[in-house]
Structures are given as structure tokens and as C-alpha cells.
Amino acid sequence: MQLPFQKKLFLSISACMAVLMLVCIMGFSFYTYNNLYHQSLSSLHQLSERTGSEVKTLFENMDALALYASTNPEICSAFSAARTEGFSNLDLSRKTVQTLTSISIPNSASHYRISLYNENGNFTSVGIPYKQKWTMEKLASQDYRQWYEELPVIENGPSFYGFHPDYWSDSQDLYLSLFREIFGITSTLKANALIEVQCPLGRVKDILDFDDTSYSSYLFDQAGNLVYPLQDDKLSASLYEACKANPQGYVSQYSHLFYSGTDVRNGYHLILTQSQKHIWGIILPQILAVLFLGFAALVIFVVVLFYVTKHATRPLQELTSSVKQVSISNLSLELDFSDYPDEICGLNKAFEKMFQRLRQSMDEIVRIQACEMRANMVALQSQMDPHFLYNTLTVIKAFSREKNNAQINLTCDYLVKMLRYISSYNEHNVSLKQEPAHTENYLNLMKIRYEDQFSYTFSIDSTVNTEALMVPRLTLQPLVENCFQHGFKTVAPPWTIHVRFWLEELQWYVSVTDNGAGFSPESEQELLDKIEEFLSHPSDSITSMKIGGMGLVNTVARLKLKYKNQISFKILNLPEGGSTVILGGVLEDEYLCD
């Protein structure tokens, strides 16, 4: 049902205000979210740096203890002596207890367990207590030596080993270990023993666990294996790869997470993540408050607008009713405007001027349509060069004298196909498959006329879908026909013609290359001038041309009318002789969708 003008105006303004208010709300929401987003990233990055520094300090403390003990002369001497037969763990403890005590007390080694042992089962330890019976059984077991040799030890350096069950008790406690080799006093070629500094899981948890559950920590070793938390998930591997690819910054790879990574030590990498849910917990209340205030303001505005619109649109409604009475035979408004505001009177004057221009435009349209009809008729007649038709009929006549019925049938068949294609006016665009077929009919007729004096080839790139690509009808033949009309006139045979179709940057292209005389600068400029003249004054240009004289001009002009300034048209003279004419147009939306 047709709505009154008043209601239309009221609804339009109300809709505009609603949209404007919605845009403001969205803008405010985006601004709030953007600020919180960057603040969260900055906080997460700072927390990641601070937490990484704490983990790094923990690793450095463990390594400092291991390095001090492994290089201590008394400890090195004790383990050199332990290589002799009959050296007991009690002897080892007597030689190292004073040194280990001096190391552990000032360095708070009670937080760790410092264990020293060799492949023969000599063992001593300080710090976190161990279970002596369990340890003695392990040291005396048959597979101890193999276990010792398989420990993840790096030569001349510290090596960290992720959380594992306690070696020296039957408890379920987990430890992070650091290993260093202990060499002799004078020999550094082969290690006499190992020192292992064990850090309990709880101490690492104190650093990597947060009271705020929106944060999560991921600690990876140098091989990219997850060390903490103990339970792996699908997210950890993706986070590690993303952070290693972007080590200098922090980005959000997943819609529900922020993450930030930092290198710790010895190839260990710490990644902190934070859920975005807590941000929306802050944003949503603010958005709801804005929505409530915006809705209240919108209701008040709509009520006021209704009364203002009702009063202001009455003259416009009467003016609308009067405009509806306007027809081609009555181009005027029959309405008394004396009691209306100046704006309505101004509209009346504008309508009068519009009606006057409308009369002029209608007269101009009639004239243009007449010119267009005449141009179309002449252009359609110009699609086939009459000289070509005369020559073809002459060839047929010569074959009839020779009673060569086979050649007559073949020649007539090619000619009929050409005439049928040219005289089909229903479709202005045809598939690329049809254009080369029509042009080949023309070329076959020319081969009958010139026998073996010329040859031709076609090539269509494999990327071109000849069924789906649509081009303007009669695009290719005028380019080929131009070779015979101009290119080959002053050049002795044999002649060659090569036609190529291809696609490039959302455009289709066709090129025709011949070994003719090429284009002189004068003839090329004359051709361009004819095209511009045709586009500027199509009616005058068409009537001044002889039938069959449009050829290449007609083709380029039709493409310019269809594709505007997006047409490609080039003429290239070849160094070895001959020329290449290139035409191109924009790909249709239907082809791009396919």
C-alpha cells in the first residue's frame, strides 16, 4: 500500500536518526574496546616480561649453585678419588659436606635439592631431603649405570630437564632438574660425576600460576615441548609457533585470546595468554547503558518529530497531489501558492523551470533516437565489406566454370555461416568460442581466394574459459580483415596471421599479428582520429563513411561505448616487419563469479 508523504518523511527521518544513533553507539563501543584492547596487551606484555624475568632468575640461581659446586676444587678432588675402588658414600660425604654446606646456606639452597653422583653409584645430597633407602637401592640396581648414561647432559654447559618424578624417593612429587658435569682437578676431557639441582614443581607454580584465572602460562623447552602446565592441549603448539614467528611483539591469533611470549634461558620460552572475556565484562555494561540512554532519547525525539512533521508536510502533501496531475500534455502546476511559505513558492518556480527543460530534453531525445536509428542501420550494413562479397561471388563463378562442385559447396557453406553470424542482431555479446569460429570461416574463404599464399594460427591460453567468457560480437573479424585490406597490399606473399586470446588482471585481450607492411605514423594517427570523430559525432561520421569503410574503427568505437575508458587498444610495429593490433575489455561479472 502506498504510504502518504507525511508518513514517509516521518519514517525516513526516524530511520536516519536510529541509524545515526546506532553508528554513535558502535563508534563508542569500538573506542572503548580498542582502548581496553591495547591496555590489556600492554599489561600482558609487561606481566610476561616480569614473569619471564622471575623464571630466568630461578634458572640462573639453579645454574649458579651447579656451577659453583661443579668447579669447587674439593668436590672435584673428592670425585676424582671416588674413581678408586673402595671409596664409599660416607667418604664422599666427609670430603664434600663442608663445601656443600657453605654453598647451600648463603644461597637458600634449601629450596632445592643439590645431588652429586657418579656412574659407580657414589652419591651425596643437600637441601630437600631424600629417601635414603630408596636411593641406595637405586644406586645399587643393575640398570643404574644405563640410567646414568641416558641422562640429558650437555657437555661443558647447563642442561635443563622438564618436570619428572623424583629420582631419589618413591613420592609422586615432580621436579625440574639442571645438570652440569664435574671434571677432575687437572683433566677436563672426561667428567667424573654429575651435579643435579632439582627445583620442586610447587616453586615454579608460585611463579607461573596467577590468582586472576583469565591468565594462563605456557613454558616450552628448547625443542618446543611443553614443560608447564603438565597437561598438554591443542592450543599450546599453535601458540609456540606463533610466538616464535613474531618474537618481538604480541598478537592475538585466536578470537578469544591475547598472548605474549618472551625468551627465558637455554632456549626455554614463556608464553602468557589472557582471555578476552574479562574485557567484554567491562564493555558490555557500558554498551547497555549507552543503548538505554540512546533508546530513551530516540523515543522522545520521535514524539517531537511526529508533531513537527505533521505540521510541516501539509503544504508538501498538497504540492505532491498537484504534481501527480502533471502529464506530457499538461506540464504545469494548477495550484494557488499565495498562502504558502517562500520555500514552497521556490519549489513552484523550480518545477516550472524543470518542465521547460523537460520539454527541451524530450525534443532532443527524439532527435537522438532518430540519429541513433540511422547510425545503427548504416553500421549493420558496414559489418561486411562489399568488395569481399563481390570477390567471393567471383570465386564461386570461377569454380562453376570449372564444374568444381565440391569447392562451390565449401565456399557457399563458409559464406552462409558468415552471413548468418553477421545478421544475428539479438545478441550483442557472444561467447569466445563463437568469435574465432566466425573468423575462421572468413579466413577459410580468403584461403580459397588466395590458395596457399597465406597461413593462419589461433592460440587461446589455458586459463580462458571459452564457454563462459563473453565478448562483443564481431570483435575479431575486423582485426583480421584489416590485415588483407591494409597490411598485405604492398607486401608479397607468403603471408601469416596469428591470433591469440588471453586474460590478465581482470581483462580479456586479443591480438592479431601479421607480417604485412605495418602501420605508418600517419596511418596510425588517422585511425585514432577516426575513432575519436566517431565517438564525438557518431551520426555524422557514419553517414560520411562509405559502406565497408568502418572496419577497425567500428570495432574500437563499439568497445569504447561498452567499456568506457577501460578498453585497451594498441598498435605495435614489429622490428622484423608487420604489426600487432591488441584489443581488450573488462571481464563480465558473470565470468568472475564462475
Side-chain angles (χ1 to χ4, degrees), residues 77-98:
S77 176
F79 275 99
S80 295
R83 298 176 62 88
T84 62
E85 186 176 354
F87 194 87
S88 66
N89 288 345
L90 182 60
D91 296 331
L92 180 63
S93 297
R94 289 172 181 171
K95 287 181 174 290
T96 60
V97 65
Q98 185 177 357

Side-chain angles (χ1 to χ4, degrees), residues 179-306:
F179 296 93
R180 270 191 178 273
E181 297 173 311
I182 300 176
F183 296 93
I185 299 286
T186 58
S187 174
T188 58
L189 298 178
K190 183 178 180 181
N192 293 328
L194 296 178
I195 179 170
E196 177 186 3
V197 180
Q198 292 179 308
C199 176
L201 174 62
R203 185 164 176 79
V204 178
K205 277 187 174 182
D206 292 340
I207 299 175
L208 297 182
D209 286 354
F210 303 94
D211 295 334
D212 188 346
T213 57
S214 65
Y215 291 99
S216 298
S217 302
Y218 295 87
L219 183 64
F220 298 88
D221 62 15
Q222 61 271 21
N225 300 315
L226 183 66
V227 176
Y228 185 87
L230 303 180
Q231 293 183 347
D232 198 355
D233 54 32
K234 296 180 180 179
L235 181 65
S236 59
S238 301
L239 285 174
Y240 181 78
E241 293 299 327
C243 269
K244 295 301 287 184
N246 186 20
Q248 301 300 324
Y250 38 85
V251 291
S252 101
Q253 183 179 2
Y254 300 96
S255 60
H256 64 286
L257 283 179
F258 296 140
Y259 65 86
S260 176
T262 180
D263 290 325
V264 180
R265 178 175 172 155
N266 289 73
Y268 275 63
H269 199 77
L270 175 66
I271 299 176
L272 258 62
T273 67
Q274 185 180 30
S275 172
Q276 291 183 349
K277 290 183 178 178
H278 79 286
I279 293 183
W280 284 109
I282 299 173
I283 294 176
L284 284 177
Q286 299 184 42
I287 293 177
L288 291 175
V290 172
L291 284 172
F292 176 77
L293 294 175
F295 180 75
L298 182 61
V299 170
I300 295 173
F301 174 80
V302 167
V303 172
V304 174
L305 180 64
F306 176 77

Side-chain angles (χ1 to χ4, degrees), residues 359-397:
R359 296 187 192 96
Q360 296 173 353
S361 299
M362 291 172 62
D363 296 339
E364 181 67 17
I365 289 173
V366 172
R367 189 186 70 82
I368 291 175
Q369 288 179 341
C371 293
E372 184 179 1
M373 181 63 69
R374 182 176 57 176
N376 287 336
M377 293 300 294
V378 175
L380 289 173
Q381 295 176 15
S382 302
Q383 296 299 336
M384 175 172 283
D385 186 353
H387 295 292
F388 166 76
L389 187 57
Y390 302 154
N391 293 331
T392 304
L393 293 175
T394 302
V395 170
I396 294 174
K397 182 179 178 181

